[in-house]
Amino acid sequence: MSEQAVQEVALRVALERAIARKSDEYDQSARRYAGQLVGTKLDKTQVRGLETLASTTDKVSDITDWLKLRVGRDAGRDRWAKEGIGRDLVTELEGLRNDAKKIVQELSQRDPDLERQVHLRLCREFLKYLAAHFEYLKAEQER
Amino acid sequence: MSELEYLLKRKQSIAAWSDRWQAEAARFADGHRDLLPKRITNAQLYGLGNVVRSARRYADIERFIRHQAEKAERAERIDVQGYWNDLKDALGKLRSEAQALLKTLPFPTGMDNREVLEALHRELVGLYVQHLIAHSLYWTPDQEESRRGEK
């Protein structure tokens, strides 16, 4: 294996570790959002839909556009627009860019797109927790 | 560069562009916030989205926007006419964005440069309009409060 390939693998390993560490920190915050979301009329397919979108898209903007549209369409203000939950979530997800920036800075990487890719990964991690907590709390609520 | 490498690089470059330009499209929406949603309706925005998604040429999108501007002019809605003219300019300028992006993508031989540019321009327009519609429907807190107050 060439020196360059070894460095590439080392970077990937360091990156995965940094993302995993940061991801663990999102558990509590995601749980709080899930607690708020169960107080809306949203069902688990809608929250799962957001998680699925995040895991399949290659753009952070697709995730925030999806949420913005649903906030805008929620005329009854009993789903994504209830008590500003959707708006707070957009702000939260956009704010994960700062975490991505720190991770990339610590790795001293020059790839100009890496920060964006890490940001997308962090959004996926956050929404994975959110969907899991939401489903759990929803099931508890319906029991 | 193989065709597969080209396609992957193209996909990544477009995704990065889209994330970078979301803020620009949001600024356009915020800059015309006073026209939303009564002068420029959600139905008109969805109509724009449908045209952009189905257009086979950029000229079809431009024709739709020009038609909207002309309708507004006939109805003496100067502000609405201004909206569509501003949008036509904003989307037209994305052609130079497509050109700049293409320069970073040395594509395989045998592809028609003009066709590639046209397709990329349409794709960027589609992403810009996606951001524009999402942000236009998304109310700012101040307006949300004033809307609640009106009820």
Side-chain angles (χ1 to χ4, degrees), chain A residues 13-74:
Chain A
V13 171
L15 197 58
E16 291 304 317
R17 280 190 185 150
I19 289 171
R21 264 198 306 274
K22 191 50 75 179
S23 170
D24 285 345
E25 294 174 19
Y26 296 157
D27 182 53
Q28 289 300 318
S29 172
R31 191 193 299 251
R32 277 196 299 277
Y33 278 101
Q36 276 183 272
L37 283 175
V38 290
T40 69
K41 283 188 177 175
L42 287 168
D43 60 34
K44 66 181 181 183
T45 55
Q46 289 159 306
V47 179
R48 275 276 169 219
L50 176 59
E51 190 207 1
T52 304
L53 169 75
S55 65
T56 52
T57 184
D58 57 353
K59 307 178 197 80
V60 176
S61 55
D62 277 351
I63 304 171
T64 48
D65 278 353
W66 189 96
L67 267 169
K68 285 177 177 182
L69 269 183
R70 270 135 194 97
V71 169
R73 285 173 181 165
D74 184 9

Side-chain angles (χ1 to χ4, degrees), chain A residues 61 64-65 87 113 117, chain B residues 12 19 22 130-131 139 144:
Chain A
S61 55
T64 48
D65 278 353
R87 192 178 310 281
D113 197 39
Q117 290 175 32
Chain B
Q12 190 186 350
D19 280 355
Q22 187 186 34
Q130 174 193 311
H131 301 323
W139 289 91
E144 198 169 286

Side-chain angles (χ1 to χ4, degrees), chain A residues 56 58-62 64-69 71-73 75 77 81-84 86-88 90-91 94 97 111 113 116-117, chain B residues 11-20 22 26 42 46 127-128 130-141 144 147-148 151:
Chain A
T56 52
D58 57 353
K59 307 178 197 80
V60 176
S61 55
D62 277 351
T64 48
D65 278 353
W66 189 96
L67 267 169
K68 285 177 177 182
L69 269 183
V71 169
R73 285 173 181 165
R77 305 208 165 271
K82 187 174 180 183
E83 292 163 6
R87 192 178 310 281
D88 291 344
V90 169
T91 306
E94 285 175 342
R97 184 179 291 122
D111 178 351
D113 197 39
R116 191 188 69 82
Q117 290 175 32
Chain B
K11 194 170 183 296
Q12 190 186 350
S13 298
I14 290 172
W17 184 91
S18 181
D19 280 355
R20 221 170 36 244
Q22 187 186 34
N42 291 353
Y46 288 134
L127 292 164
Y128 186 95
Q130 174 193 311
H131 301 323
L132 176 70
I133 295 173
H135 199 77
S136 297
L137 266 68
Y138 185 64
W139 289 91
T140 58
E144 198 169 286
R147 280 176 88 213
R148 280 179 187 162
K151 285 183 181 174

Side-chain angles (χ1 to χ4, degrees), chain B residues 18-71:
Chain B
S18 181
D19 280 355
R20 221 170 36 244
W21 274 71
Q22 187 186 34
E24 187 63 37
R27 264 194 292 278
F28 184 97
D30 287 336
H32 297 82
R33 184 64 70 190
D34 55 323
L35 298 174
L36 306 168
K38 289 187 175 167
R39 312 279 280 175
I40 298 289
T41 65
N42 291 353
Q44 280 175 300
L45 291 174
Y46 288 134
L48 169 70
N50 289 336
V51 168
V52 168
R53 267 190 299 276
S54 61
R56 299 175 73 90
R57 310 289 310 169
Y58 175 70
D60 297 337
I61 301 168
E62 204 175 54
R63 193 175 307 117
F64 171 83
I65 295 175
R66 200 177 294 123
H67 179 63
Q68 296 297 318
E70 285 165 1
K71 273 202 314 188

